[in-house]
Amino acid sequence: MTDNAEPRPNRAPRRDAQLRRDALIDAAATCFAGQGYGVPLETVAAAAGVGRATLYRNFDDREALALAIFSREVDRLAAMLDPDAPIMDTIATMVRAGTGAFSLFARISAELHLDDANRAAFQALGVRMEAILAPALHAAQRRGEVRADATPRDLVIALRMAGSLVLPVMSDDEVGVQIETGLRLLFTGLRPR
């Protein structure tokens, strides 16, 4: 007997399943930031209001959960990117918007234990971020704001460097000063000579 069933098309997850997944990502970001990367995953599941089985149905391990947090942040930053804005304004806006993610990444990066698949996924996030920043870089190069030999990877590094200057305990004014100072120093090296 042969199976004549056609393969099911890829469908978006059901709304309730997507809400649970989003709740897990939110809870993981909060738990990792507050209790460290080693927080028990049962604590993350409880904070999301789901059981452990639901967590593992959505994420194989804590590294996959961290990847989901950062992937969502990349999506959020991509949505706010304006390639026509001055490049320093673009980076400053992204740093302000990504302060929590930069802080979280700094906190857990030393504890990440990546297998080959997760390492490849994190590298793909970096490549995706480069692709997102490429139009802004090219526009800045056309405007003469950035050297012709600067690469999207240079902008990702500049973004990470500027992001590391901002601490969650800083006031908005302190954040502004830190970003402005850091970007002035960074972009001095990226400007045409």
Side-chain angles (χ1 to χ4, degrees):
M1 185 167 146
T2 59
D3 185 7
N4 291 331
E6 293 183 27
R8 288 198 282 183
N10 288 338
R11 290 186 279 194
R14 289 187 353 227
R15 176 93 174 118
D16 58 335
Q18 186 61 49
L19 289 173
R20 283 191 297 273
R21 180 179 170 79
D22 291 343
L24 282 163
I25 294 169
D26 290 340
T30 300
C31 290
F32 290 168
Q35 300 174 50
Y37 188 59
V39 64
L41 291 182
E42 290 79 9
T43 302
V44 172
V50 301
R52 208 171 118 180
T54 299
L55 186 146
Y56 284 109
R57 243 190 327 273
N58 283 276
F59 302 101
D60 291 339
D61 52 31
R62 76 181 57 246
E63 287 77 17
L65 200 48
L67 179 65
I69 293 167
F70 297 123
S71 181
R72 184 173 68 177
E73 280 301 305
V74 168
D75 291 342
R76 198 171 63 80
L77 292 175
M80 68 177 46
L81 185 72
D82 177 4
D84 296 322
I87 196 67
M88 282 183 58
D89 292 350
T90 297
I91 298 297
T93 298
M94 293 178 88
V95 168
R96 279 185 181 275
T99 297
F102 289 119
S103 177
L104 180 60
F105 185 77
R107 176 158 189 178
I108 70 172
S109 62
E111 297 178 52
L112 281 171
H113 300 290
L114 300 178
D115 61 17
D116 289 342
N118 282 332
R119 182 178 317 282
F122 268 96
Q123 289 170 342
L125 266 184
V127 169
R128 198 166 120 219
M129 196 66 195
E130 289 174 28
I132 289 164
L133 288 170
L137 172 64
H138 297 140
Q141 288 169 324
R142 284 192 301 275
R143 291 189 301 265
E145 297 172 354
V146 178
R147 293 189 331 235
D149 64 343
T151 66
R153 180 167 291 210
D154 294 336
L155 279 192
V156 170
I157 291 170
L159 185 62
R160 288 182 60 201
M161 291 170 72
S164 71
L165 298 173
V166 179
L167 302 173
V169 296
M170 292 178 169
S171 70
D172 283 343
D173 289 341
E174 290 171 315
V175 167
V177 169
Q178 285 291 91
I179 291 172
E180 182 180 328
T181 302
L183 290 180
R184 182 175 39 79
L185 293 170
L186 285 170
F187 277 89
T188 297
L190 289 175
R191 283 204 177 96
R193 297 176 191 178

